[in-house]
Amino acid sequence: MSGFVPGLVLRIARTYRELLLDAIDCSIVTGNKMLILYHHPMSAASRLVRLVLGEYDEAAEFVEELVWQRREEFLSLNPAATLPVMVDGEQPPLVGGATICEFLDETRGVLNRDRRLLPENPYVRAEARRIVGWALDKLEDE
């Protein structure tokens, strides 16, 4: 049993390292390609993503999406027809405000420690995620 725990910790550490390297690699590889954000001005989650893009000085092409039109091009990116959706080069589309913001923080913010939007402490980060989720739900409902 004692050999199990160190082995598990080592596997987790290796997985974390690989994910971190992938995130850094992803930001370097796709950093020169224009991000495309499908959004709507009245969507709280879309506004949040636009704010985060601004905080990281990320250029993006903004495509105002009228989801009720159910355009085929947009449905091919997100069959649920929800906003926002971000496309980063040839990578799979990212769907949802919180998901996109965490991705931006992990790929852009990790290289700018002083400008990270989410705290380093995992408990404080979890609380920040809870508050963001609550705020987005409240703003979308009103």
Side-chain angles (χ1 to χ4, degrees), residues 11-110:
R11 283 197 306 270
I12 291 171
R14 284 183 184 150
T15 303
Y16 177 75
R17 180 179 176 274
E18 289 170 11
L19 289 173
L20 182 60
L21 290 174
D22 286 347
I24 291 170
D25 184 47
C26 179
S27 72
I28 291 168
V29 170
T30 63
N32 293 331
K33 295 181 180 164
M34 178 66 76
L35 297 173
I36 301 170
L37 180 68
Y38 294 86
H39 73 107
H40 191 274
M42 298 303 291
S43 161
S46 295
R47 290 192 305 267
L48 174 64
V49 172
R50 291 194 310 269
L51 283 170
V52 171
L53 286 167
E55 284 295 318
Y56 287 133
D57 298 321
E58 282 291 325
E61 175 186 344
F62 297 108
V63 177
E64 187 172 325
E65 188 62 41
L66 307 175
V67 293
W68 54 88
Q69 291 181 349
R70 303 190 63 77
R71 291 183 320 111
E72 285 298 320
E73 177 191 356
F74 181 69
L75 291 175
S76 69
L77 296 172
N78 179 16
T82 57
L83 292 172
V85 174
M86 188 177 78
V87 178
D88 186 5
E90 298 298 316
Q91 301 298 322
L94 299 170
V95 178
T99 302
I100 295 169
C101 290
E102 286 189 35
F103 171 81
L104 290 169
D105 188 60
E106 291 171 359
T107 58
R108 276 53 173 193
V110 74

Side-chain angles (χ1 to χ4, degrees), residues 113 116 118-123 125:
R113 290 264 184 233
R116 277 221 59 196
L118 287 173
E120 292 293 324
N121 181 306
Y123 293 102
R125 194 167 52 244

